[in-house]
Amino acid sequence: MRVSIATAPGGTNPNEDWVAATPTFAVVLDGLSTAGLDTGCRHGVPWYVAQLGGHLVAALAEPGRPLADGLAQALDQVAALHPGCDLGNPGTPSATVSILRAGADHFDYLVLADSPIVFERADDYQVVTDLRVDSVVPELRAETERFATGTPEHAEAVRRMVEAQRLTRNTVDGYWVATSSGEAAHHALTDTVPLADVRAAVVLSDGVSRLVTEYRAAS
């Protein structure tokens, strides 16, 4: 495969996304906003996604290993790196995870939370994403959309939404993201797509996909 990568922070703060790719493998991690709330961790989201990304690539160096198993191992390994932090805090650093791996005749994929993978076929597109987070506190999510990004009102609305979302994060009745336990990996969406059916594929953070899904600025 020919592979290209682009990533940039959304503002003046350090980039909370992480991406890596080879001719047969791509992974995107989108760090979840802390909205200024306590995380119980002294390291921060950029540290977390960098550590998780590195361990994930190493865990999946064996081509035939199930993606969920490799992610579970990486999550547990990163948790072991900062035992002095409060990993039980509902706001502990976390991220979405999307992985695409090419085999001899198919793609394996894993999607945990709302960073989608899009497959271009001969005459249509297949979008794989996990939108369970959208069912959590929808009224607070709608409130964030009333205000322009960057305004104090928007920041306060995001803080309220994130604070409420944390209460259902990685629970049966809520939604799942990569945090401090390998259990989350086994709640990801996983499947295969025949290689012959795919012309191109893209692995996105929701910072990109919202150009289509929310802003309607692209097809």
Side-chain angles (χ1 to χ4, degrees):
M1 295 190 299
R2 291 180 297 170
V3 179
S4 62
I5 294 174
T7 182
T12 57
N13 292 327
N15 197 339
E16 295 184 340
D17 295 346
W18 191 93
V19 59
T22 74
T24 59
F25 177 84
V27 56
V28 168
L29 308 178
D30 184 352
L32 272 64
S33 170
T34 64
L37 297 167
D38 175 59
T39 66
C41 177
R42 63 182 178 85
H43 296 94
V45 175
W47 175 90
Y48 176 76
V49 295
Q51 294 297 326
L52 180 58
H55 282 81
L56 182 56
V57 170
L60 292 173
E62 180 184 341
R65 187 174 193 187
L67 299 181
D69 288 355
L71 176 57
Q73 175 182 311
L75 288 169
D76 289 338
Q77 288 174 330
V78 174
L81 295 177
H82 56 148
C85 296
D86 179 9
L87 302 183
N89 186 307
T92 190
S94 56
T96 71
V97 181
S98 295
I99 307 169
L100 181 65
R101 182 177 64 191
D105 57 4
H106 66 276
F107 282 108
D108 295 314
Y109 68 76
L110 178 149
V111 174
L112 182 62
D114 58 356
S115 291
I117 297 176
V118 182
F119 296 98
E120 180 186 2
R121 301 176 184 272
D123 54 5
D124 66 354
Y125 295 88
Q126 177 185 352
V127 180
V128 182
T129 188
D130 176 1
L131 298 178
R132 281 174 283 188
V133 67
D134 286 356
S135 65
V136 178
V137 294
E139 69 286 355
L140 294 179
R141 174 181 291 273
E143 184 181 353
T144 67
E145 298 170 359
R146 292 173 48 206
F147 306 108
T149 301
T151 63
E153 293 83 3
H154 181 264
E156 175 58 22
V158 169
R159 187 197 65 78
R160 288 194 296 268
M161 179 186 71
V162 171
E163 189 171 32
Q165 285 177 335
R166 286 179 171 189
L167 300 178
T168 62
R169 187 175 293 172
N170 286 13
T171 67
V172 174
D173 296 326
Y175 65 106
W176 294 84
V177 295
T179 55
S180 57
S181 170
E183 179 188 1
H186 300 291
H187 293 272
L189 305 180
T190 59
D191 207 343
T192 63
V193 174
L195 203 64
D197 292 350
V198 177
R199 287 184 170 182
V202 60
V203 188
L204 304 167
S205 71
D206 71 343
V208 178
S209 65
R210 67 182 56 190
L211 291 173
V212 176
T213 59
E214 295 184 28
Y215 301 150
R216 311 296 181 187
S219 66

